Amino acid sequence: MTDVLLEIPAVVDRLRAAFRFGRTKPLSWRRGQLGALRAMLTEQEGAFVEALRADLGKPADEARRTEIDFVCREIDHTLEHLDSWLAPEDAELPATLRPGRGTVVREPLGVVLIIGPWNYPLQLVLAPLVGTLAAGNAAVLKPSELAPATASAIARFVPQYLDQEGVAVVEGAIPETTALLEQHFDHIFYTGNGVVGRIVMTAAAKHLTPVSLELGGKSPVIVDTDADPAVTAERLVDTKFLNAGQTCVAPDYVLAVGDAAARLEPALAAAVRAKFGDEPSDSPLYGRIVNHRHFDRLNNLLASGRVVVGGQTDRDAKYIAPTVLADVSPDAPVMSEEIFGPILPIIAVPDVDAAIGFITARDKPLALYAFTESESTKARILAETSSGAVGFGLPVLHLTVPSLPFGGVGESGMGRYHGKYSIDTFSHLKAVLDKPLA
Ligand code: NAD
């Protein structure tokens, strides 16, 4: 057994003891830790940017925007509102219980395990940590072994900046995660795929530990006949090819209504060239595929349709060009699983009814997007489909709004976080009834 495996029970015990002694509960500790986390991100920005480049070829600006600044904004928003979020909430009492007082009090849960994935390896470990600490909990972080440079930067800097009695980092892969999951936690927050999500939930059941599962899936985009092709294409390219398509809420495929595909195809080709140039492999704005296993998986999907733009690959460089495929059949390999890479298939559907039917016949997505000028079509989409989130006219960016809940439904996950929703996820909402004795 490795040293890490042997140490895991003691690490969790140490945090639990600190929690029991009340170390993590004072508001001053919570605020102090959030401030220290922010200092870590700003003072070590260069090291994190370099780690993200090493793991994912992530462009520096994108690394700052989608990982470092993202978590800083979450911290700032939390610090600004924390007092009001934690204030006891009055609850109306029935007449039969008056006089008296009902309140809802938020109390910390205990020790939280946060298991992160490789695609936003910093953000997806630290953004849940913000809510965990703000709610007064201790935390174990398990970053993804598939982004090893970022995982090791987290393991190096977190103990330097944060209270080691309250936060620990455990590096490792399946054996270490399995050993962690044998421990008793008070909440497990897992981001990744649904197969492992089931393993996490099964392990959690042994201890009756509540879980948040932030999973993925195929997030569809409906493009209506009245949508401006240039605006639609520009926004699709900006969001689909971010992090080379390796984003959980990336537009997965387009359902082009009526004759929309004929206008959208050239607009998408133009938007790709406008953003990344004629040779995207030279673009400083474009990342790489995380490893050769995912490169090979994605490479096999490129034959699923007619190439509108892109299609070039370089296995040594783990490069796949931003690619749009047209005339894609619903049965094509690219439609069989979440793409999680820079390939955007377009499927033609006759009308909005067919688009809605296509979506509701499949798993509930993490996000559903639509480009339409029609308010009645928007209302129909909201009423007739279910998804973690909906974005009209703009994919992905809903997750940057700290006052919106972020999470999935059905196969795309359970639970929600960001801002106040994180406080509720990482707190117990305790009901208090206070009846005067006289
Ligand atoms: P991954 O392979 O890095 O796995 C995630 C974590 O699970 C890692 O820490 C890993 O060590 C652990 N793990 C892997 N196998 C395990 C096992 N057998 N037992 C215990 N732990 C194990 O990441 P991934 O799953 O490839 O991530 C991609 C998926 O995550 C996609 O489906 C994507 O859509 C989803 N995702 C969702 C969100 C969201 O916020 N909802 C964000 C990012 C990614």
Side-chain angles (χ1 to χ4, degrees):
M1 228 194 281
T2 66
D3 287 353
V4 176
L5 286 177
L6 290 171
E7 284 164 11
I8 282 173
V11 167
V12 180
D13 285 350
R14 189 180 79 227
L15 297 177
R16 185 164 301 289
F19 178 78
R20 285 221 178 102
F21 282 118
R23 187 178 180 94
T24 64
K25 287 181 190 165
L27 201 53
S28 56
W29 184 88
R30 307 183 195 193
R31 287 187 170 280
Q33 293 303 299
L34 293 181
L37 187 60
R38 201 181 198 296
M40 178 186 90
L41 288 166
T42 48
E43 289 169 18
Q44 304 303 336
E45 181 187 283
F48 285 122
V49 167
E50 177 48 31
L52 291 160
R53 191 203 56 72
D55 286 332
L56 288 147
K58 215 171 257 211
D61 178 58
E62 188 180 311
R64 283 190 206 96
R65 211 162 25 98
T66 64
E67 306 244 21
I68 297 166
D69 295 352
F70 184 98
V71 180
C72 288
R73 272 202 313 280
E74 181 75 9
I75 293 171
D76 294 344
H77 180 72
T78 302
L79 285 172
E80 187 186 340
H81 297 284
L82 190 57
D83 289 352
S84 68
W85 291 343
L86 293 174
E89 271 170 46
D90 283 335
E92 194 182 325
L93 287 189
T96 48
L97 287 176
R98 290 183 210 145
R101 189 166 179 221
T103 38
V104 180
V105 173
R106 283 172 176 74
E107 64 177 25
L109 295 170
V111 185
V112 174
L113 172 62
I114 298 172
I115 305 174
W118 52 265
N119 62 334
Y120 290 85
L122 188 67
Q123 188 221 119
L124 292 171
V125 166
L126 298 187
L129 178 65
V130 173
T132 302
L133 297 174
N137 300 286
V140 177
L141 310 180
K142 214 304 284 174
S144 176
E145 70 279 15
L146 299 184
T150 310
S152 107
I154 292 171
R156 182 167 153 220
F157 293 123
V158 163
Q160 280 179 31
Y161 283 83
L162 299 188
D163 179 5
Q164 295 189 32
E165 300 299 308
V167 183
V169 182
V170 173
E171 279 189 274
I174 295 176
E176 291 76 12
T177 316
T178 306
L180 277 168
L181 288 171
E182 283 163 11
Q183 304 297 308
H184 177 207
F185 289 95
D186 300 285
H187 192 98
I188 300 176
F189 189 98
Y190 168 80
T191 305
N193 67 76
V195 174
V196 177
R198 284 165 169 81
I199 294 173
V200 168
M201 200 166 170
T202 304
K206 286 193 194 125
H207 298 286
L208 271 188
T209 300
V211 294
S212 301
L213 301 179
E214 296 281 339
L215 309 178
K218 292 180 87 62
S219 295
V221 186
I222 300 173
V223 177
D224 205 354
T225 47
D226 60 3
D228 182 297
V231 172
T232 304
E234 189 189 336
R235 294 182 189 179
L236 281 174
V237 165
D238 277 350
T239 52
K240 171 73 187 186
F241 300 117
L242 187 72
N243 200 23
Q246 301 161 114
T247 302
C248 56
V249 284
D252 189 275
Y253 62 95
V254 170
L255 295 171
V257 175
D259 58 358
R263 290 185 296 280
L264 191 61
E265 287 174 23
L268 281 167
V272 167
R273 285 189 198 103
K275 176 143 189 157
F276 300 111
D278 286 332
E279 192 40 77
S281 61
D282 295 337
S283 169
L285 301 177
Y286 193 60
R288 295 294 182 267
I289 305 307
V290 65
N291 55 31
H292 285 117
R293 181 170 69 83
H294 280 285
F295 175 92
D296 292 339
R297 178 183 65 80
L298 290 161
N299 198 30
N300 287 335
L301 303 180
L302 287 169
S304 292
R306 168 171 56 85
V307 174
V308 173
V309 66
Q312 303 81 358
T313 62
D314 175 347
R315 192 174 191 275
D316 289 343
K318 291 176 279 182
Y319 167 77
I320 296 181
T323 299
V324 176
L325 299 178
D327 307 334
V328 173
S329 148
D331 306 323
V334 78
M335 291 303 295
S336 67
E337 59 176 30
E338 178 181 0
I339 298 169
F340 221 52
I343 304 170
L344 183 64
I346 302 176
I347 294 178
V349 288
D351 49 31
V352 171
D353 283 331
I356 290 176
F358 193 97
I359 292 165
T360 54
R362 291 165 171 74
D363 291 337
K364 293 178 181 179
L366 185 56
L368 186 165
Y369 306 116
F371 289 82
T372 177
E373 296 282 2
S374 161
E375 293 304 320
S376 66
T377 298
K378 290 183 191 176
R380 278 199 60 195
I381 290 169
L382 280 183
E384 296 176 32
T385 68
S386 176
S387 56
V390 170
F392 291 127
L394 188 59
V396 174
L397 283 248
H398 61 278
L399 81 82
T400 66
V401 182
S403 47
L404 285 175
F406 183 70
V409 57
E411 283 286 323
S412 56
M414 61 181 71
R416 61 210 64 78
Y417 75 126
H418 288 175
K420 182 170 191 299
Y421 296 95
S422 290
I423 301 294
D424 286 349
T425 288
F426 297 116
S427 301
H428 168 57
L429 273 62
K430 184 155 69 180
V432 181
L433 174 63
D434 186 352
K435 179 81 180 155
L437 294 178

